[in-house]
Amino acid sequence: MLTGDASLIKKMNRALILSTIIEHKSISRAEIAKVTGLNKATISVQVSELLDNALIVESQLEHKSLGRRPIMLSINKKAGFALGIDLDKTTITFTLADLSGYPVHTNVIDLQVSNYEFILDILSRQIKDYQTKCEQTHHGLIGVVIGIHGIVDTDEIIYFVPQHEWKNKNLKKDLENEVGIKIYIENNANLCSFAEKVYKHHHSNNLLSVSLYSGIGLGFMINGMLLKGFHGYAGEIGHMIIVPNGLPCSCGSLGCWEQYASENSFTRRISHGRRKLDLSFEEIHHALIAKEPTICNEMEEFIMYLSIGINNLINLYNPEILVVNSELLRLYPNAAEELKAQLTSTISHYSELLISEFGKKACIMGACALCIQKFLEVSELSLSL
């Protein structure tokens, strides 16, 4: 049985009311009572405190009928701002979002080196700059969430980032010592799945998001919560072996899924065939439109290997929604339908498979959303763009 003292119950009621206001965007006290089942006295006290803290605002609903116009409550979007950071191999992307989750500013810095101290200095200076930009708001910069393309443990310590060859880096502590605000470190695939849940699939409690960029990462939303495993290392699905004694992988194994179905593996094969390094997605897109035989054959093979891994995931987790996050597949007509056509097992069951609309923005939007959730201390968050 779940029990708690008065302060815990008050905190739970606050979170429920705040989540309801955010989900409905604009709602009256009477409607909150209907939706939540809380009594009017509890709602009145909580709303008063939220108004005092400048987290919500009041407005009157315009209508033409006689009688008193209802007072509507909504989130105070400009009361503070969340900073999401996507720390990738060659770029660092910074996105500032208001409390409704809407991005208001984005900045991209190119990286030429992988030196930890150098990148730490860039992050510190940029965060301080955003702190200055937000200092005139009531809550200022409410926090920072950094998406890492690598392994992050349950204590938010970076265990390994293969792209930068970082091992056992406490970026959270190092940055908090520099900037003096809350820093959260999270795996990028987890943030991608969180973005899908918060912005697109609010009512799905079982969602998987597969990201296909330099490697393959998996984010789990099971029963509405991120599933991270005992150490926090769950989701390294790219190292599932699908071809015994196949291509060598940097992890030390042979035949890992990401050697066959990541975007990096696809572009590497195409670039090698064309004897041209760094083939762009635009060039690949034009070749697909022109139906060049070589690239079409490569795409068929790519989808075939991708479907093998996805079939395994479906059998393992029986997801309601499975989202594939890939810039390459976003350029390819009927990608979702072709993937579904490969999933012919009578055992595999899922409700919906689709290509993410976010693309590479998924990680950073998930970072902004997670920052907002941490600040507001709500268990459920439903945002929209």
Side-chain angles (χ1 to χ4, degrees), residues 152-169:
V152 179
D153 71 16
T154 50
D155 294 321
E156 299 179 60
I157 294 173
I158 299 171
Y159 176 70
F160 183 50
V161 179
Q163 295 175 339
H164 295 297
E165 297 186 359
W166 291 354
K167 292 183 179 180
N168 299 315
K169 298 295 184 182

Side-chain angles (χ1 to χ4, degrees), residues 19 22-25 100 197-199 202-203 380-384:
S19 292
I22 293 170
E23 181 177 3
H24 288 79
K25 297 184 180 61
S100 72
K197 162 71 174 173
V198 170
Y199 285 100
H202 305 148
H203 302 295
E380 293 289 331
L381 188 65
S382 297
L383 305 174
S384 60

Side-chain angles (χ1 to χ4, degrees), residues 152-305:
V152 179
D153 71 16
T154 50
D155 294 321
E156 299 179 60
I157 294 173
I158 299 171
Y159 176 70
F160 183 50
V161 179
Q163 295 175 339
H164 295 297
E165 297 186 359
W166 291 354
K167 292 183 179 180
N168 299 315
K169 298 295 184 182
N170 197 339
L171 182 61
K172 176 185 176 72
K173 180 180 178 182
D174 292 341
L175 273 176
E176 286 182 341
N177 288 339
E178 291 286 332
V179 301
I181 61 170
K182 289 294 294 183
I183 305 290
Y184 302 95
I185 309 296
E186 186 56 86
N187 169 267
N188 71 299
N190 285 340
L191 292 175
C192 289
S193 66
F194 192 70
E196 298 292 344
K197 162 71 174 173
V198 170
Y199 285 100
K200 295 290 183 181
H201 307 287
H202 305 148
H203 302 295
S204 173
N205 286 323
N206 291 277
L207 180 148
L208 302 185
S209 173
V210 183
S211 300
L212 305 181
Y213 298 108
S214 54
I216 301 180
L218 177 66
F220 308 70
M221 294 294 296
I222 305 298
N223 294 325
M225 301 291 290
L226 280 170
L227 182 65
K228 299 184 180 183
F230 181 72
H231 295 99
Y233 303 160
E236 293 300 317
I237 201 69
H239 299 289
M240 167 179 60
I241 295 172
I242 63 166
V243 180
N245 299 315
L247 295 172
C249 181
S250 59
C251 75
S253 296
L254 300 175
C256 290
W257 191 25
E258 69 178 36
Q259 296 303 315
Y260 298 86
S262 67
E263 290 188 352
N264 191 44
S265 67
F266 179 86
T267 54
R268 185 171 62 243
R269 289 193 299 272
I270 294 297
S271 297
H272 178 74
R274 295 190 170 210
R275 297 181 181 179
K276 179 182 179 181
L277 297 176
D278 300 323
L279 198 67
S280 70
F281 279 118
E282 185 178 2
E283 290 173 300
I284 292 172
H285 191 204
H286 287 316
L288 287 170
I289 292 173
K291 296 184 178 180
E292 292 185 17
T294 301
I295 202 165
C296 288
N297 290 338
E298 286 287 353
M299 181 60 79
E300 287 179 10
E301 188 171 282
F302 175 77
I303 288 178
M304 183 267 291
Y305 281 121

Side-chain angles (χ1 to χ4, degrees), residues 100-119:
S100 72
Y102 188 82
V104 296
H105 184 269
T106 295
N107 180 40
V108 180
I109 294 179
D110 292 327
L111 283 179
Q112 304 297 328
V113 298
S114 291
N115 179 269
Y116 177 76
E117 297 298 332
F118 180 80
I119 293 176

